[in-house]
Amino acid sequence: MSHASAYIWYYLDGDAWKPYDSSLLDGFEKVFNSSLAIGNKKIKVDNERYIEIMPIVDILSNFTNSINDPDLVGIQRRYDDPMKRRAVKRTKANTTTSFFDDLQFAFYSNTSQKTKTNEIKGIIKMCGGKSVDTMTKKTDYLILKPSDLKDDYKTFNDIISKAEGLKIICVESTWIDSCIKSKKLVDHTAFLVGQKTAPVVAIPTNTTTTTASTSNTAAPTTTTTTTTSPKSKSKNNSSSTTNNLIINSGFLIKGSEWAGVCSSDDDHYPLVMTVDDVVGGEEVSGVITWINLGYAKTKYKGKVVATNGEFNFQEYEIISGEDDVEVPNDYKSTVYGDQIIGKVGDSTFKLKLTKSPPVTNIQPDSQWKGTSTSIENFKLDVVKRDGENITGTITWGSNYDDAISTFTGKITSTCIEVSDYKEGKKLGPEELSHPFKLIPSQQSDHSIKFRIEK
């Protein structure tokens, strides 16, 4: 390793240290190691910014917040306004945690927000990872920037589906920021990105199951389920939608777990929310764990309104991490099936269902994924439940032209016992016949998967 590449330079962005592009480091080192006096060392970053090298005591005097890092070497300033400042540090490469070692990253788009893409690629390289232009079986993560999440439904789902087929983990780019901030490979569960819900033009009321078909040029046929349960029914007997999300608080039940991110400007705070109790179908309480705030834990309680999906709650007591979090905090949100979206103060937050309750609590309109004995992906849609009796559909993978089969069965403490199974117009796996069992298993990422057992 050369002397120039033995150090990595960072600038402070908010409260996260971000590395400069590796192409700049040789120039930085040349000036830094020159015979010039410290006060005269000014390093050009680009046509807009430069770094002024100075003693650490002078660096600290420029900032009101405590940075407290022994590797500080200077301040980044703007040529047009020197008072716009960022702290800069120079750290030995062998002391930097290479938490992306042996990991390969692809990007949903290399053209949108190109500057942001290059910045992320630089961070990945600095932390031991490798960026590639094409997804392959060797790719570990697909990174999606905020603009990528707004892509049209069909294009988005085609790319995500391809990644899932290659067993690539799809995550929001804010996951990279959280890794940098935490200086380690953080749990990606809260940042996972899945396929978008198919756009629904109209949803019939007072029905148990409806199928919305689209033209040959639109999205594939999808199944939308409604129920007379008060938790999935609005005052006007129809499901409300916002940005293609259907209001439905039926998934917010005891035993469920939700993960997501609370964001404000450039700050992102991953959290996990467990639902420990639901009283009377509306009084909800549980615990919130803040991942990159020392895993601080707080208690919350609130109320969910079944008619409009409104879920307002208050974080009111600290269980652990008194130095990292403050209470009380008031949250206002709406439940859209397996997502919760809302605000707390000036911040926004988004949660996704990541751990489903035991199979004994399975609810109408819930969706489950699994693999059959012939290793074929399938999607399980629960259409109706009456006590221990259950009816639903199984949608098979593309190898069977997304064939849809119906089933009825009984829920036990360990599985769903399917007693009746009927093929639709398109046929599923030939070897599958009833009776059979749908057996759930807990995954390492806290999700639930089903396997079929004869």
Side-chain angles (χ1 to χ4, degrees), residues 98-311:
S98 298
F99 41 77
F100 290 153
D101 269 354
D102 301 321
L103 294 179
Q104 192 177 105
F105 300 80
F107 288 80
Y108 179 93
S109 171
N110 283 302
T111 55
S112 67
Q113 293 184 300
K114 194 170 183 178
T115 301
K116 179 66 175 177
T117 300
N118 290 336
E119 178 185 316
I120 297 173
K121 286 182 176 180
I123 292 173
I124 289 171
K125 183 177 180 180
M126 290 294 183
C127 299
K130 179 182 179 181
S131 299
V132 296
D133 294 328
T134 305
M135 291 187 292
T136 67
K137 290 183 178 180
K138 294 181 179 180
T139 307
D140 298 288
Y141 289 92
L142 178 68
I143 306 299
L144 291 92
K145 302 181 294 294
S147 59
D148 299 330
L149 301 175
K150 300 176 183 178
D151 207 351
D152 70 273
Y153 158 78
K154 190 176 187 308
T155 301
F156 186 89
N157 280 5
D158 284 347
I159 294 176
I160 299 301
S161 177
K162 179 181 178 181
E164 292 174 343
L166 293 170
K167 297 184 179 180
I168 297 172
I169 301 169
C170 304
V171 293
E172 296 180 16
S173 59
T174 50
W175 174 69
I176 299 289
D177 296 333
S178 291
C179 290
I180 294 298
K181 187 178 295 185
S182 303
K183 296 183 180 179
K184 65 179 182 180
L185 194 70
V186 303
D187 186 353
H188 59 248
T189 302
F191 304 88
L192 289 174
V193 177
Q195 296 187 41
K196 293 182 179 180
T197 304
V200 178
V201 177
I203 302 177
T205 59
N206 297 325
T207 60
T208 301
T209 305
T210 64
T211 301
S213 298
T214 58
S215 66
N216 291 332
T217 59
T221 300
T222 61
T223 300
T224 303
T225 58
T226 61
T227 173
T228 55
S229 167
K231 279 195 173 185
S232 60
K233 186 175 179 183
S234 63
K235 290 182 179 179
N236 60 2
N237 251 3
S238 66
S239 297
S240 303
T241 61
T242 301
N243 295 330
N244 294 328
L245 296 176
I246 302 174
I247 291 177
N248 176 6
S249 60
F251 291 23
L252 191 65
I253 57 179
K254 181 179 179 179
S256 61
E257 185 175 286
W258 306 71
V261 180
C262 184
S263 302
S264 177
D265 297 327
D266 293 330
D267 295 325
H268 307 285
Y269 301 96
L271 67 145
V272 175
M273 183 183 82
T274 58
V275 179
D276 297 334
D277 200 9
V278 179
V279 179
E282 59 179 25
E283 301 293 337
V284 183
S285 61
V287 173
I288 296 175
T289 302
W290 296 95
I291 305 302
N292 63 350
L293 294 177
Y295 284 85
K297 293 181 181 293
T298 58
K299 290 183 180 181
Y300 74 89
K301 58 183 177 181
K303 183 175 182 179
V304 61
V305 181
T307 53
N308 60 12
E310 183 180 277
F311 177 40

Side-chain angles (χ1 to χ4, degrees), residues 66-79:
S66 177
I67 301 174
N68 193 26
D69 195 309
D71 292 334
L72 290 171
V73 293
I75 295 176
Q76 176 184 285
R77 300 183 186 272
R78 293 185 63 89
Y79 287 112

Side-chain angles (χ1 to χ4, degrees), residues 25 41 61 95 127:
L25 300 189
K41 291 183 179 181
S61 67
T95 64
C127 299

